Coordinates of all heavy atoms in Angstrom, one line a residue:
Chain P
S50 N 4.5 -63.8 10.0 CA 4.4 -62.5 10.7 C 4.2 -62.9 12.2 O 3.2 -63.5 12.6 CB 3.3 -61.6 10.2 OG 2.0 -62.3 10.3
L51 N 5.1 -62.4 13.1 CA 5.1 -62.9 14.5 C 4.3 -62.1 15.4 O 3.8 -62.6 16.4 CB 6.5 -63.0 15.0 CG 7.5 -63.9 14.2 CD1 8.8 -64.0 14.9 CD2 6.9 -65.3 14.1
D52 N 4.1 -60.8 15.1 CA 3.3 -60.0 16.1 C 2.2 -59.2 15.4 O 1.8 -58.2 16.0 CB 4.2 -59.2 16.9 CG 5.1 -58.2 16.1 OD1 5.0 -58.3 14.9 OD2 5.8 -57.4 16.7
F53 N 1.8 -59.5 14.2 CA 0.7 -58.9 13.6 C 0.1 -59.8 12.5 O 0.7 -60.8 12.1 CB 1.2 -57.5 12.9 CG 2.2 -57.7 11.8 CD1 1.8 -57.8 10.5 CD2 3.5 -57.8 12.1 CE1 2.7 -57.9 9.4 CE2 4.5 -58.0 11.0 CZ 4.0 -58.0 9.7
Q54 N -1.1 -59.5 12.1 CA -1.8 -60.3 11.1 C -1.5 -59.6 9.7 O -1.7 -58.4 9.6 CB -3.3 -60.4 11.4 CG -3.6 -61.2 12.7 CD -5.0 -61.3 12.9 OE1 -5.8 -60.5 12.5 NE2 -5.4 -62.4 13.5
A55 N -1.1 -60.4 8.8 CA -0.8 -59.9 7.5 C -1.7 -60.5 6.4 O -1.6 -61.7 6.1 CB 0.7 -60.3 7.1
T56 N -2.6 -59.7 5.9 CA -3.5 -60.1 4.8 C -2.7 -60.2 3.5 O -3.2 -60.9 2.6 CB -4.7 -59.2 4.7 OG1 -4.2 -57.9 4.4 CG2 -5.6 -59.2 5.9
T57 N -1.7 -59.5 3.4 CA -0.9 -59.5 2.2 C 0.6 -59.7 2.5 O 1.1 -59.1 3.4 CB -1.0 -58.2 1.4 OG1 -2.4 -57.9 1.2 CG2 -0.2 -58.2 0.1
M58 N 1.2 -60.6 1.8 CA 2.7 -60.8 1.9 C 3.3 -60.8 0.5 O 2.6 -61.1 -0.4 CB 3.0 -62.2 2.6 CG 2.6 -62.2 4.1 SD 3.2 -63.7 4.9 CE 2.8 -63.4 6.6
F59 N 4.5 -60.5 0.4 CA 5.2 -60.4 -0.8 C 6.4 -61.3 -0.9 O 7.1 -61.4 0.1 CB 5.6 -58.9 -1.1 CG 4.5 -57.9 -1.0 CD1 4.4 -57.2 0.2 CD2 3.6 -57.7 -2.1 CE1 3.3 -56.2 0.3 CE2 2.6 -56.7 -1.9 CZ 2.5 -56.0 -0.8
W60 N 6.7 -61.9 -2.0 CA 7.8 -62.7 -2.2 C 8.8 -62.1 -3.2 O 8.4 -61.7 -4.3 CB 7.4 -64.1 -2.6 CG 6.8 -64.9 -1.5 CD1 5.5 -65.1 -1.2 CD2 7.5 -65.7 -0.5 NE1 5.3 -65.8 -0.1 CE2 6.5 -66.2 0.4 CE3 8.9 -65.9 -0.2 CZ2 6.9 -67.1 1.5 CZ3 9.2 -66.7 0.9 CH2 8.2 -67.3 1.7
Y61 N 10.1 -62.1 -2.8 CA 11.1 -61.6 -3.7 C 12.2 -62.6 -3.9 O 12.4 -63.5 -3.1 CB 11.8 -60.3 -3.1 CG 10.9 -59.1 -2.9 CD1 10.0 -59.0 -1.9 CD2 10.9 -58.1 -3.9 CE1 9.2 -57.9 -1.7 CE2 10.1 -56.9 -3.7 CZ 9.3 -56.9 -2.6 OH 8.5 -55.8 -2.5
R62 N 12.9 -62.4 -5.0 CA 14.1 -63.3 -5.3 C 15.3 -62.3 -5.5 O 15.1 -61.3 -6.2 CB 13.8 -64.2 -6.5 CG 15.0 -65.0 -6.9 CD 14.6 -66.1 -7.9 NE 13.9 -65.5 -9.0 CZ 13.4 -66.2 -10.0 NH1 13.5 -67.5 -10.0 NH2 12.8 -65.6 -11.0
Q63 N 16.4 -62.7 -5.1 CA 17.6 -61.8 -5.3 C 18.8 -62.7 -5.7 O 19.2 -63.6 -4.9 CB 17.9 -61.1 -4.0 CG 19.1 -60.0 -4.2 CD 19.3 -59.2 -2.9 OE1 19.1 -59.7 -1.8 NE2 19.7 -58.0 -3.1
F64 N 19.4 -62.4 -6.8 CA 20.6 -63.1 -7.3 C 21.8 -62.3 -6.8 O 21.6 -61.1 -6.6 CB 20.6 -63.3 -8.8 CG 19.5 -64.2 -9.3 CD1 18.4 -63.7 -9.9 CD2 19.6 -65.6 -9.1 CE1 17.4 -64.6 -10.4 CE2 18.6 -66.5 -9.5 CZ 17.5 -66.0 -10.1
P65 N 22.9 -62.9 -6.8 CA 24.1 -62.2 -6.2 C 24.4 -60.9 -7.0 O 24.3 -60.8 -8.2 CB 25.3 -63.2 -6.5 CG 24.6 -64.5 -6.4 CD 23.2 -64.3 -7.1
K66 N 24.7 -59.9 -6.2 CA 25.0 -58.5 -6.7 C 23.9 -57.9 -7.5 O 24.2 -56.9 -8.2 CB 26.3 -58.6 -7.5 CG 27.5 -59.0 -6.7 CD 28.8 -58.9 -7.5 CE 30.0 -59.4 -6.6 NZ 31.3 -59.2 -7.3
Q67 N 22.7 -58.4 -7.3 CA 21.6 -57.7 -7.9 C 20.6 -57.3 -6.9 O 20.6 -57.6 -5.7 CB 20.9 -58.7 -8.9 CG 21.8 -59.1 -10.1 CD 21.0 -59.9 -11.1 OE1 19.8 -59.9 -11.1 NE2 21.7 -60.6 -11.9
S68 N 19.6 -56.5 -7.3 CA 18.6 -56.0 -6.4 C 17.5 -57.0 -6.2 O 17.5 -58.1 -6.9 CB 18.0 -54.7 -7.0 OG 17.1 -54.1 -6.0
L69 N 16.6 -56.7 -5.4 CA 15.4 -57.6 -5.1 C 14.4 -57.5 -6.3 O 14.1 -56.4 -6.7 CB 14.7 -57.2 -3.8 CG 15.4 -57.6 -2.5 CD1 16.5 -56.7 -2.1 CD2 14.3 -57.7 -1.4
M70 N 14.0 -58.7 -6.7 CA 13.0 -58.8 -7.8 C 11.7 -59.3 -7.2 O 11.7 -60.4 -6.7 CB 13.5 -59.6 -8.9 CG 14.7 -59.0 -9.7 SD 15.4 -60.2 -10.9 CE 13.9 -61.0 -11.5
L71 N 10.6 -58.6 -7.4 CA 9.3 -59.1 -6.9 C 8.9 -60.3 -7.7 O 8.9 -60.2 -8.9 CB 8.3 -57.9 -7.0 CG 6.9 -58.3 -6.5 CD1 6.9 -58.5 -5.0 CD2 5.9 -57.1 -6.9
M72 N 8.5 -61.3 -7.0 CA 8.0 -62.5 -7.7 C 6.5 -62.6 -7.7 O 5.8 -62.8 -8.7 CB 8.5 -63.8 -7.0 CG 10.0 -64.0 -7.0 SD 10.5 -65.4 -6.0 CE 9.8 -66.7 -7.1
A73 N 5.9 -62.3 -6.5 CA 4.4 -62.5 -6.4 C 3.9 -61.8 -5.1 O 4.7 -61.5 -4.2 CB 4.1 -64.0 -6.3
T74 N 2.6 -61.5 -5.2 CA 1.9 -60.9 -4.0 C 1.0 -62.0 -3.5 O 0.2 -62.6 -4.3 CB 1.1 -59.7 -4.4 OG1 2.0 -58.7 -4.9 CG2 0.3 -59.2 -3.3
S75 N 1.1 -62.3 -2.3 CA 0.3 -63.4 -1.6 C -0.8 -62.8 -0.8 O -0.6 -62.0 0.1 CB 1.3 -64.2 -0.7 OG 0.6 -65.1 0.1
N76 N -2.0 -63.2 -1.1 CA -3.2 -62.7 -0.4 C -3.8 -63.8 0.4 O -4.1 -64.9 -0.1 CB -4.2 -62.1 -1.4 CG -3.6 -61.0 -2.2 OD1 -3.2 -60.0 -1.6 ND2 -3.5 -61.2 -3.5
E77 N -4.1 -63.6 1.7 CA -4.7 -64.6 2.5 C -6.1 -65.0 2.0 O -6.9 -64.2 1.7 CB -4.9 -64.0 3.9 CG -5.3 -65.0 5.0 CD -6.8 -65.1 5.2 OE1 -7.5 -64.1 4.9 OE2 -7.3 -66.1 5.6
G78 N -6.2 -66.3 1.8 CA -7.5 -66.9 1.4 C -7.8 -66.8 -0.1 O -8.9 -67.2 -0.5
S79 N -6.9 -66.3 -0.8 CA -7.1 -66.2 -2.3 C -5.8 -66.6 -3.1 O -4.7 -66.7 -2.4 CB -7.6 -64.9 -2.7 OG -6.6 -63.9 -2.5
K80 N -5.9 -66.6 -4.4 CA -4.7 -67.0 -5.2 C -3.7 -65.8 -5.2 O -4.1 -64.7 -5.2 CB -5.2 -67.3 -6.6 CG -6.0 -68.6 -6.7 CD -6.3 -68.9 -8.2 CE -7.1 -70.2 -8.3 NZ -7.4 -70.5 -9.7
A81 N -2.5 -66.2 -5.3 CA -1.4 -65.2 -5.4 C -1.4 -64.6 -6.8 O -1.9 -65.1 -7.8 CB -0.1 -65.9 -5.1
T82 N -0.9 -63.4 -6.8 CA -0.7 -62.6 -8.0 C 0.8 -62.7 -8.4 O 1.6 -62.2 -7.6 CB -1.2 -61.2 -7.9 OG1 -2.5 -61.2 -7.5 CG2 -1.1 -60.4 -9.2
Y83 N 1.1 -63.2 -9.6 CA 2.5 -63.4 -10.0 C 2.9 -62.3 -10.9 O 2.1 -61.8 -11.8 CB 2.7 -64.7 -10.6 CG 2.5 -65.9 -9.7 CD1 1.3 -66.4 -9.3 CD2 3.7 -66.5 -9.2 CE1 1.1 -67.5 -8.4 CE2 3.6 -67.6 -8.3 CZ 2.3 -68.0 -7.9 OH 2.2 -69.1 -7.1
E84 N 4.2 -61.9 -10.8 CA 4.8 -60.9 -11.7 C 5.0 -61.6 -13.1 O 5.2 -62.8 -13.2 CB 6.0 -60.4 -11.2 CG 5.8 -59.5 -9.9 CD 4.9 -58.3 -10.1 OE1 5.3 -57.4 -10.9 OE2 3.9 -58.3 -9.4
Q85 N 5.1 -60.7 -14.1 CA 5.3 -61.3 -15.4 C 6.6 -62.0 -15.5 O 7.7 -61.5 -15.0 CB 5.3 -60.1 -16.4 CG 5.4 -60.5 -17.9 CD 5.2 -59.3 -18.8 OE1 5.3 -58.2 -18.4 NE2 5.0 -59.6 -20.1
G86 N 6.6 -63.2 -16.1 CA 7.8 -64.0 -16.2 C 8.0 -65.0 -15.1 O 9.0 -65.8 -15.2
V87 N 7.2 -64.9 -14.0 CA 7.4 -65.9 -12.9 C 6.4 -67.0 -13.1 O 5.2 -66.7 -13.3 CB 7.1 -65.2 -11.6 CG1 7.2 -66.2 -10.4 CG2 8.1 -64.0 -11.4
E88 N 6.9 -68.2 -13.1 CA 6.0 -69.4 -13.4 C 5.2 -69.8 -12.2 O 5.8 -70.2 -11.2 CB 6.9 -70.6 -13.9 CG 7.7 -70.3 -15.1 CD 8.6 -71.5 -15.4 OE1 8.1 -72.6 -15.6 OE2 9.8 -71.3 -15.5
K89 N 3.9 -69.6 -12.2 CA 3.1 -69.9 -11.1 C 3.0 -71.4 -10.7 O 2.8 -71.7 -9.6 CB 1.7 -69.3 -11.3 CG 0.9 -70.0 -12.4 CD -0.5 -69.4 -12.5 CE -1.2 -70.0 -13.7 NZ -2.6 -69.4 -13.8
D90 N 3.2 -72.2 -11.7 CA 3.2 -73.7 -11.5 C 4.5 -74.2 -10.9 O 4.6 -75.3 -10.3 CB 2.9 -74.4 -12.7 CG 1.5 -74.2 -13.2 OD1 0.6 -73.9 -12.4 OD2 1.3 -74.2 -14.5
K91 N 5.6 -73.4 -11.0 CA 6.9 -73.7 -10.5 C 7.0 -73.2 -9.0 O 7.6 -73.8 -8.2 CB 8.0 -73.2 -11.4 CG 9.4 -73.6 -10.9 CD 10.4 -73.2 -11.9 CE 11.8 -73.7 -11.3 NZ 11.9 -75.1 -11.1
F92 N 6.6 -72.0 -8.8 CA 6.7 -71.3 -7.6 C 5.3 -71.2 -6.9 O 4.5 -70.3 -7.2 CB 7.3 -69.9 -7.7 CG 8.7 -69.9 -8.3 CD1 8.9 -69.7 -9.7 CD2 9.8 -70.2 -7.5 CE1 10.2 -69.7 -10.2 CE2 11.1 -70.2 -8.0 CZ 11.3 -70.0 -9.4
L93 N 5.0 -72.2 -6.2 CA 3.6 -72.3 -5.6 C 3.6 -71.5 -4.3 O 4.4 -71.7 -3.4 CB 3.3 -73.8 -5.3 CG 3.3 -74.7 -6.5 CD1 2.9 -76.1 -6.0 CD2 2.3 -74.2 -7.6
I94 N 2.6 -70.6 -4.2 CA 2.4 -69.8 -3.0 C 1.1 -70.1 -2.4 O 0.1 -70.1 -3.0 CB 2.6 -68.3 -3.4 CG1 4.0 -68.0 -3.8 CG2 2.1 -67.4 -2.2 CD1 4.2 -66.6 -4.3
N95 N 1.2 -70.3 -1.1 CA 0.0 -70.6 -0.3 C -0.1 -69.6 0.9 O 0.9 -69.5 1.6 CB 0.0 -72.0 0.2 CG -1.3 -72.4 1.0 OD1 -1.4 -72.0 2.1 ND2 -2.2 -73.0 0.3
H96 N -1.2 -69.0 1.1 CA -1.3 -68.0 2.2 C -2.6 -68.4 3.0 O -3.6 -67.8 2.9 CB -1.5 -66.6 1.6 CG -1.3 -65.5 2.6 ND1 -0.8 -64.2 2.3 CD2 -1.4 -65.4 4.0 CE1 -0.8 -63.5 3.3 NE2 -1.1 -64.2 4.4
A97 N -2.5 -69.5 3.8 CA -3.6 -70.1 4.4 C -4.1 -69.4 5.6 O -5.2 -69.6 6.1 CB -3.3 -71.6 4.6
S98 N -3.2 -68.6 6.2 CA -3.6 -68.0 7.5 C -3.1 -66.5 7.5 O -2.3 -66.2 6.6 CB -3.1 -68.7 8.7 OG -1.7 -68.4 8.9
L99 N -3.5 -65.8 8.4 CA -3.1 -64.4 8.5 C -1.7 -64.2 9.0 O -1.2 -63.0 9.0 CB -4.1 -63.6 9.4 CG -5.5 -63.4 8.8 CD1 -6.4 -62.8 9.8 CD2 -5.4 -62.4 7.5
T100 N -1.0 -65.2 9.4 CA 0.3 -65.1 9.8 C 1.3 -66.0 9.1 O 2.5 -66.0 9.4 CB 0.4 -65.4 11.4 OG1 -0.1 -66.8 11.6 CG2 -0.4 -64.5 12.2
L101 N 0.9 -66.7 8.1 CA 1.8 -67.7 7.4 C 1.5 -67.7 5.9 O 0.4 -67.8 5.4 CB 1.6 -69.1 8.0 CG 2.3 -70.2 7.2 CD1 3.8 -70.0 7.4 CD2 1.9 -71.5 7.8
S102 N 2.6 -67.5 5.2 CA 2.6 -67.7 3.7 C 3.8 -68.6 3.4 O 4.8 -68.5 4.0 CB 2.8 -66.4 3.0 OG 2.9 -66.6 1.6
T103 N 3.6 -69.5 2.5 CA 4.6 -70.5 2.1 C 4.9 -70.3 0.6 O 4.0 -70.1 -0.2 CB 4.3 -71.9 2.4 OG1 3.1 -72.3 1.7 CG2 4.1 -72.1 3.9
L104 N 6.2 -70.5 0.2 CA 6.6 -70.5 -1.1 C 7.3 -71.9 -1.4 O 8.2 -72.3 -0.7 CB 7.7 -69.5 -1.4 CG 8.5 -69.6 -2.7 CD1 7.5 -69.3 -3.9 CD2 9.6 -68.6 -2.7
T105 N 6.7 -72.7 -2.3 CA 7.3 -74.0 -2.7 C 7.9 -73.9 -4.1 O 7.2 -73.6 -5.0 CB 6.2 -75.1 -2.6 OG1 5.6 -75.1 -1.3 CG2 6.8 -76.4 -3.0

Side-chain angles (χ1 to χ4, degrees):
Chain P
S50 56
L51 298 185
D52 59 354
F53 64 95
Q54 293 184 330
T56 56
T57 303
M58 292 184 175
F59 307 98
W60 286 95
Y61 294 80
R62 178 169 53 181
Q63 185 176 32
F64 294 107
K66 298 187 177 181
Q67 294 186 20
S68 188
L69 284 79
M70 292 171 40
L71 180 67
M72 298 177 67
T74 299
S75 169
N76 299 298
E77 188 267 337
S79 64
K80 292 183 179 180
T82 304
Y83 290 82
E84 295 300 298
Q85 189 173 9
V87 178
E88 300 175 59
K89 62 180 181 180
D90 295 329
K91 180 171 182 61
F92 299 99
L93 301 180
I94 291 173
N95 183 280
H96 194 154
S98 79
L99 288 172
T100 58
L101 173 64
S102 176
T103 61
L104 168 67
T105 301

